[in-house]
Amino acid sequence: MVTGITQATTALDLLQALQEATYHRLAQIAGAVEKAARRKLEFIVSGGIHHSPESLQRLANVLGRTVYASSEPEASLRGAACFAMGKLGVEPAAPRLGAAIRPQAIAARAYAKARLRQAGLEELMRAARRVRKP
């Protein structure tokens, strides 16, 4: 759900809101995985996001963690090969990493607060659905 849309809201505003919503969901999933695995994850990204330093910075800010841009041209293929190698008992070489994109503290805190508000909104929506069910 996107809230707060007014007549002054632009297409760029909506694009940013949807991008941030995706990043917030990634942060939520990463938190659940880290909790289950009992360890911190390392965030390595690849693909089209390389073409947008602003998107990389926003992702780091939303995650509140350092993000590394992979220079691997075929990251998905490499991932599949690493998985297969692991099944065969072979340890693959560490991926080549690009520059570290560190979160900006003020932005990261603001995004963390926004994620808490979003969690509250999602809980209200779940409660409303439970009430409406016969």
Side-chain angles (χ1 to χ4, degrees):
M1 173 184 343
V2 178
T3 61
I5 296 174
T6 69
Q7 288 183 337
T9 302
T10 66
L12 188 57
D13 294 332
L14 288 173
L15 178 63
Q16 182 174 339
L18 294 173
Q19 182 185 56
E20 288 177 8
T22 302
Y23 294 171
H24 280 294
R25 187 63 71 199
L26 286 172
Q28 186 180 35
I29 292 166
V33 170
E34 287 178 334
K35 184 177 179 183
R38 295 187 179 124
R39 67 179 182 89
K40 291 286 187 184
L41 298 176
E42 188 171 55
F43 295 94
I44 304 170
V45 297
S46 65
I49 195 169
H50 280 162
H51 303 293
S52 176
E54 295 83 7
S55 293
L56 285 167
Q57 185 63 62
R58 185 171 294 122
L59 178 59
N61 290 343
V62 172
L63 292 171
R65 303 275 292 285
T66 299
V67 171
Y68 298 91
S70 171
S71 58
E72 184 65 49
E74 294 291 340
S76 297
L77 183 59
R78 183 186 191 286
C82 288
F83 178 78
M85 290 171 66
K87 291 294 184 184
L88 296 171
V90 177
E91 182 70 29
R96 294 175 295 180
L97 300 180
I101 298 94
R102 291 181 173 69
Q104 298 162 327
I106 293 171
R109 282 192 297 274
Y111 282 123
K113 287 180 184 178
R115 198 162 33 263
L116 289 174
R117 287 191 308 273
Q118 180 66 24
L121 179 60
E122 289 176 5
E123 184 51 42
L124 285 173
M125 296 302 294
R126 279 191 291 276
R129 276 188 240 129
R130 287 191 296 267
V131 169
R132 283 188 277 160
K133 288 187 179 178

